[in-house]
Amino acid sequence: MLKDFAISITRTLRERGHKAYLVGGCVRDLLLGREPADYDVTTDALPEDVMRIFPDTYAVGAQFGVVLVPAPEKDVASNVSTDVTRYFSSKTNVVEVATFRCDIGYSDGRHPDEVRFSKDPREDVERRDFTINGLLLDPLTNEVLDYVGGRKDLDAGIIRTIGDPERRFAEDKLRMLRAVRFAARFGYTIEPKTFQAIRKLAPQIRQVSRERVRDELSRMLTEGHARGAFLLLDDAGLLHEVLPGIEAMKGVEQPPQFHPEGDVFVHTLLLLDKLPHPCPVTLAWGALLHDVGKPPTFRVAPDRIRFDGHVDVGVKMAEEICERLRFSNDDTRQILALVDNHMRFAHVLQMKESTFKRFVRMPRFDEHLELHRMDCLSSHGDLTSYNFTREKMNAMPATAMRPGPLITGDDLISSGYAPGPQFKKILSAVEDGQLEGRLRSRDEALTFVQSEFPNGG
C-alpha cells in the first residue's frame, strides 16, 4: 500500500508539471527483489509547492527540502496530533518527499552549511552517499536513471561512495558505519578506495552523536548479519573506536573444556551469528555484552583459565556502554539483566522451587532463555539446563509461578507487628514457602510467621 501511495505522489507531482522519482534505498531494494521498508520521493518541486499540493503534510526539514506526506489511513490523523515526530520517526505510514538539491560545506560533519535547491536530478544524486543508493526510478515507466554507476555496483556486489570517499565521509562520519552495515546486510564488498578512506578516518567516528552510533550498531545487530558486520567493523578500525570493550575480547583464551570454540571474541561472534531475525534490540545487545567482563578478569589458575567475578564486572561495563550510547532506561535495565543473569542457568537443576520460580518470572524471561540457548550452542553445546527450564516452565501453571499472596502487610499489623523494613523480609519468606508448596493457606502463613519471626523479627 505504501508503494502504491508513493507512486501516486509521483504521479500527482508530474500532473502538476514537476519532475518526480522514487529514490534511494527503496529503488535499490526493488531492483534486488526485496521489499523496501520505506519509500522516498525526490522532486524539483519546492517544499512549499509540495505542501500546497498535499495539504496534510509535515515539514520536518524544510531548510533541507524535506516534507513528510502521510498515507491516507483512517487512524493516522488521530494519532499524529499527539506526537508528530515520534509517530513518523519509523516512516511506516509516510512517504518522504525531498526537493532536488546540492549541498555546500559540512563544517559540523553532518549538516550542510548551505543548501541550494535544484532542478537537475543529477545534482541531487551526486550529493548522496553510495552508488547503490543513488539510483532514481520513474515508477510510471519503470525507467531507472543511473548517473553514478549504481546498477553496475549492485550487480557486482560493491559498496562504493559517490565521488571522493574522503569527502563523502567528511560530510557525515556516520556513513562509515553505514558502509559496513550495507556490506554486511547484502554480503557485498567495500570498494578498496572507500575502505581505505574508512580506515583512515575511523577515529573521526567519535564526532558523531552517540544516539546515531547506537542506532546504526543496533541495526547491524538486528538485521540478521551481525557476525559479518562486527568482523568488518574490526577490520575497518571502527570497532576500536565505538566499542573498545568488544575489541578487547580478541585473543582472550577460555578453558577448552567449556569453550572449545576459541577465545572470547570468537565465542561472541558465534553467538551473534545465532541471533533470531527479527531480533529484539535488548537481546542483541545482551548477547554482544554478556561476556564483556571477561577480558579484565582473565587469569590462569592452577586448575584452568578463570574469569572470577566477570559477571559483576561485565554489568558495570555494560552499564557504562549503555549510558555512553544513551539507551533508554527500560532498554538499559533489560540489557543489564541479561548480562547479570546469564550464568544463573548453570544452577537451575539445583535451585529451590521458590528460587526457580522467581528466576523464570523475571521480565522478558524469553530473552534470557534465548540468550542461554545461543550461549550454549556457541560453546560446549550442552542444552541440559535450557531443556530443563523450558520443560519445567511448560508444565507449570501460571498460578503456581505467580500465586496470589497468602497474607499482606495489613495481616501482619493485625497480628501485632509494627510496620517497618522487616515486613519485606517476612512477606518474602512467606512467598518462598508458598512457592515451594509448604504454605497453602492464610492460617498456615500466619502460623509460620509467628514461629519464624517472633516479636516482629
Side-chain angles (χ1 to χ4, degrees):
M1 291 179 63
L2 197 60
K3 177 183 178 182
D4 292 340
F5 182 56
I7 293 173
S8 75
I9 289 174
T10 62
R11 181 182 291 110
T12 300
L13 287 167
R14 296 279 185 84
E15 290 170 351
R16 300 298 180 93
H18 296 288
K19 299 175 184 176
Y21 305 95
L22 298 183
V23 66
C26 65
V27 179
R28 176 200 67 218
D29 289 347
L30 288 170
L31 293 175
L32 290 174
R34 296 169 174 251
E35 183 65 32
D38 49 55
Y39 286 83
D40 295 334
V41 170
T42 186
T43 178
D44 64 355
L46 296 174
E48 54 266 33
D49 297 328
V50 175
M51 297 183 77
R52 185 170 55 252
I53 295 170
F54 305 100
D56 296 326
T57 55
Y58 302 87
V60 295
Q63 71 272 37
F64 304 120
V66 180
V67 174
L68 297 182
V69 183
E73 297 180 6
K74 286 190 296 183
D75 44 11
V76 169
S78 62
N79 286 339
V80 298
S81 60
T82 57
D83 189 337
V84 171
T85 301
R86 182 174 61 190
Y87 183 75
F88 285 131
S89 62
S90 67
K91 295 178 64 179
T92 54
N93 291 292
V94 299
V95 171
E96 184 176 289
V97 180
T99 303
F100 298 158
R101 74 179 205 236
C102 63
D103 300 336
I104 303 171
Y106 280 80
S107 57
D108 69 352
R110 179 182 180 187
H111 302 105
D113 298 327
E114 181 184 345
V115 169
R116 187 178 69 218
F117 294 136
S118 171
K119 294 294 183 181
D120 184 357
R122 182 189 294 269
E123 278 194 309
D124 187 72
V125 166
E126 288 176 347
R127 70 174 177 84
R128 294 176 179 269
D129 54 6
F130 306 109
T131 60
I132 64 170
N133 295 334
L135 297 166
L136 303 175
L137 173 64
D138 181 343
L140 306 183
T141 64
N142 281 327
E143 179 188 4
V144 176
L145 279 67
D146 182 5
Y147 300 115
V148 292
R151 294 203 76 167
K152 182 178 178 181
D153 285 343
L154 268 184
D155 293 340
I158 291 174
I159 304 296
R160 183 197 314 268
T161 58
I162 295 172
D164 176 53
E166 290 194 27
R167 178 181 176 184
R168 288 286 87 86
F169 294 138
E171 291 168 350
D172 186 352
K173 278 71 173 185
L174 189 73
R175 287 172 172 170
M176 294 187 284
L177 290 180
R178 284 169 56 82
V180 168
R181 178 165 65 87
F182 289 136
R185 183 207 285 180
F186 299 122
Y188 285 6
T189 301
I190 299 178
E191 180 266 333
K193 288 185 179 179
T194 301
F195 192 71
Q196 290 168 13
I198 294 174
R199 292 186 66 103
K200 177 181 178 180
L201 302 176
Q204 296 184 23
I205 195 66
R206 298 182 180 222
Q207 299 173 20
V208 179
S209 75
R210 299 169 184 182
E211 295 89 344
R212 296 180 78 212
V213 170
R214 176 201 64 213
D215 291 346
E216 202 64 31
L217 293 173
S218 294
R219 292 186 183 101
M220 291 182 199
L221 286 166
T222 58
E223 286 183 347
H225 305 278
R227 180 176 181 271
F230 273 74
L231 280 171
L232 196 50
L233 279 176
D234 182 45
D235 195 23
L238 289 166
L239 188 62
H240 174 75
E241 304 297 336
V242 296
L243 288 170
I246 304 302
E247 184 194 39
M249 296 176 178
K250 295 167 62 179
V252 178
E253 296 182 20
Q254 302 187 96
Q257 58 268 48
F258 301 111
H259 288 278
E261 74 282 3
D263 67 30
V264 181
F265 189 65
V266 169
H267 168 70
T268 301
L269 290 177
L270 288 172
L271 204 150
L272 294 185
D273 209 28
K274 294 175 176 59
L275 288 171
H277 181 60
C279 179
V281 70
T282 48
L283 174 58
W285 279 93
L288 178 68
L289 299 175
H290 79 288
D291 277 345
V292 72
K294 280 189 171 181
T297 59
F298 170 87
R299 74 180 181 93
V300 180
D303 57 340
R304 65 175 178 86
I305 293 170
R306 292 191 175 274
F307 303 98
D308 300 329
H310 86 271
V311 170
D312 292 338
V313 172
V315 169
K316 291 178 182 177
M317 293 177 66
E319 185 174 21
E320 291 171 359
I321 290 169
C322 288
E323 182 178 351
R324 173 167 57 84
L325 295 178
R326 297 180 180 170
F327 278 90
S328 69
N329 290 337
D330 285 345
D331 284 351
T332 297
R333 273 192 294 270
Q334 178 64 3
I335 293 168
L336 298 187
L338 288 164
V339 176
D340 195 23
N341 290 281
H342 79 277
M343 293 296 291
R344 293 184 66 191
F345 284 91
H347 309 292
V348 290
L349 275 71
Q350 294 80 39
M351 282 180 180
K352 293 193 304 182
E353 195 72 8
S354 59
T355 304
F356 179 85
K357 290 176 179 176
R358 290 181 190 277
F359 179 48
V360 301
R361 70 187 194 190
M362 284 193 301
R364 289 186 268 181
F365 185 74
D366 58 318
E367 293 185 18
H368 291 271
L369 193 58
E370 180 62 8
L371 175 56
H372 174 63
R373 186 188 72 84
M374 296 185 296
D375 200 7
C376 293
L377 293 178
S378 302
S379 52
H380 49 70
D382 185 353
L383 292 175
T384 300
S385 295
Y386 170 80
N387 291 330
F388 173 84
T389 303
R390 280 199 62 187
E391 290 167 8
K392 188 166 182 175
M393 287 179 64
N394 290 337
M396 188 185 301
T399 53
M401 193 182 303
R402 297 178 183 274
L406 294 176
I407 60 172
T408 66
D410 290 339
D411 292 314
L412 294 179
I413 293 172
S414 298
S415 299
Y417 290 83
Q422 77 276 16
F423 270 31
K424 182 177 181 180
K425 180 180 178 182
I426 294 171
L427 293 174
S428 180
V430 170
E431 187 184 25
D432 281 350
Q434 184 181 13
L435 292 173
E436 292 165 11
R438 293 184 284 104
L439 302 177
R440 296 180 175 82
S441 68
R442 179 176 180 274
D443 288 343
E444 287 182 356
L446 289 173
T447 299
F448 167 81
V449 170
Q450 291 161 3
S451 171
E452 296 296 321
F453 300 94
N455 301 318

